[in-house]
């Protein structure tokens, strides 16, 4: 018998996980969603056929509770949820910056807590999630949390001290690549290409390049060198990017994202 899972928070990521779990074979009897907006609740019920409740404490009846909420909402949600929790239950937090220690200090002793940093490609089942166990999170809990996140992509386990760096790379990472795509498309238009053509060229190039990285297992530098002929067009473009400090800009950007993640957790 499958364990019952509650999804607290039905925003974009909450619905993404719900949709992935349904596609992975979880039935309506194995799921419950907490959503206080009546219109949104009705929408989810119609779309997925799962029970939707407006009482956060009701989620505590499930074996596993997914907290898919904003960091600033975590304390309030835990205040509602904690009195109904019991030792051995699993809480999986997807709130950026919120530590397992923060959650554990607000729930009964023995409640297992796992911290997860997902990303938005989970919307197309190509997500990347990093998971870290808390004090009472045993291997069985970790396996359950990993199985839930695997419904929408890949999962890696990392020490919790690395979660802020994970947030900077994969959590926020899709936005960097969307910005690169946007810049390439705009440059293509500037160079005289029709916008639909520039869009298709940029998107397929990003997709194909990512697929090459994953399927070949080669270091990015090796693949980059394969495209870069001495004195050629790619070499000229790469030199210009380096002259504009591309690597330094990425390092500074990721450090800023990491630092903001730390601030959210404090």
């Amino acid at each position: 018998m499958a364990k019952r899972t509650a999804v607290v928070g039905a925003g974009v990521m909450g619905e993404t996980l719900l949709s992935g779990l349904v596609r992975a074979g979880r039935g309506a009897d194995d799921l419950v969603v907490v959503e206080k907006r009546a219109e949104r609740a009705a929408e989810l019920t119609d779309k997925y056929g799962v029970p939707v409740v407006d009482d956060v404490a009701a989620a505590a009846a499930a074996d596993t509770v997914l907290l898919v909420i904003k960091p600033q909402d975590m304390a309030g949600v835990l205040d509602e949820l904690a009195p109904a929790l019991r030792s051995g239950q699993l809480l999986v937090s997807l709130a950026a910056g919120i530590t397992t220690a923060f959650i554990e200090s607000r729930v009964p002793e023995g409640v297992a807590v796992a911290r997860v940093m997902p990303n938005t490609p989970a919307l197309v089942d190509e997500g990347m999630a990093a998971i870290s166990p808390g004090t009472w999170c045993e291997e069985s809990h970790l396996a359950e949390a990993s199985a839930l996140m695997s419904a929408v992509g890949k999962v890696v386990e990392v020490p919790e001290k690395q979660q802020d760096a994970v947030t900077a790379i994969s959590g926020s990472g899709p936005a960097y690549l969307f910005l690169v795509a946007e810049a390439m498309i705009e440059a293509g238009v500037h160079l005289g290409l029709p916008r639909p053509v520039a869009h298709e060229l940029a998107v397929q190039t990003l997709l194909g390049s990512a697929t090459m990285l994953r399927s070949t297992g080669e270091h990015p530098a090796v693949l980059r060198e394969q495209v870069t002929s001495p004195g050629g067009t790619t070499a000229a473009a790469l030199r210009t990017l380096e002259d504009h400090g591309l690597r330094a800009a990425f390092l500074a950007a990721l450090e800023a994202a990491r630092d903001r993640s730390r601030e959210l957790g404090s």
Side-chain angles (χ1 to χ4, degrees):
M1 180 177 176
K3 291 185 176 181
R4 195 153 196 252
T5 301
V7 180
V8 180
V12 173
M13 186 56 68
E15 183 177 359
T16 295
L17 285 173
L18 173 62
S19 176
L21 291 171
V22 170
R23 290 195 304 277
R26 301 265 178 150
D29 292 340
D30 303 323
L31 296 166
V32 63
V33 178
V34 177
E35 173 54 57
K36 295 189 176 183
R37 295 169 295 170
E39 185 176 335
R40 177 64 168 157
E43 178 186 348
L44 294 169
T45 300
D46 291 343
K47 194 171 182 179
Y48 300 104
V50 298
V52 182
V53 299
D54 61 4
D55 180 13
V56 172
D63 301 286
T64 301
V65 181
L66 293 171
L67 300 173
V68 199
I69 56 179
K70 296 176 182 178
Q72 57 267 34
D73 295 336
M74 181 63 78
V77 168
L78 291 176
D79 285 344
E80 293 184 61
L81 187 62
L85 292 174
R86 59 192 182 278
S87 179
Q89 274 185 296
L90 172 62
L91 291 186
V92 182
S93 168
L94 282 76
I98 300 297
T99 64
T100 57
F102 177 93
I103 297 173
E104 288 169 351
S105 70
R106 287 162 172 79
V107 299
E109 183 172 329
V111 172
V113 179
R115 176 179 173 183
V116 174
M117 172 47 59
N119 66 9
T120 57
L123 284 164
V124 291
D125 292 345
E126 289 291 351
M128 183 69 252
I131 186 169
S132 303
T135 304
W136 293 286
C137 188
E138 300 176 355
E139 283 300 320
S140 58
H141 296 122
L142 206 57
E144 175 64 15
S146 295
L148 292 170
M149 298 309 302
S150 293
V152 290
K154 292 184 176 293
V155 181
V156 295
E157 182 183 345
V158 300
E160 187 168 9
K161 64 182 180 181
Q162 295 177 0
Q163 280 284 5
D164 294 317
V166 168
T167 300
I169 296 175
S170 61
S172 299
Y176 317 150
L177 297 180
F178 296 146
L179 180 60
V180 168
E182 182 183 354
M184 289 175 67
I185 292 166
E186 293 301 324
V189 172
H190 178 75
L191 294 174
L193 291 171
R195 184 172 294 276
V197 173
H199 185 277
E200 186 168 3
L201 290 172
V203 171
Q204 182 58 34
T205 297
L206 286 168
L207 175 62
S209 301
T211 302
M212 282 184 69
L213 276 169
R214 182 161 66 179
S215 62
T216 65
E218 292 281 9
H219 192 282
V222 173
L223 297 178
R224 173 177 55 78
E225 289 169 359
Q226 291 175 359
V227 186
T228 311
S229 302
T233 59
T234 306
L238 291 175
R239 177 182 174 181
T240 301
L241 289 172
E242 295 288 9
D243 286 346
H244 283 78
L246 177 70
R247 293 173 193 261
F250 262 100
L251 176 58
L254 267 66
E255 286 177 336
R258 177 205 61 194
D259 294 346
R260 180 56 180 153
S261 178
R262 288 175 177 171
E263 290 173 5
L264 289 171
S266 64

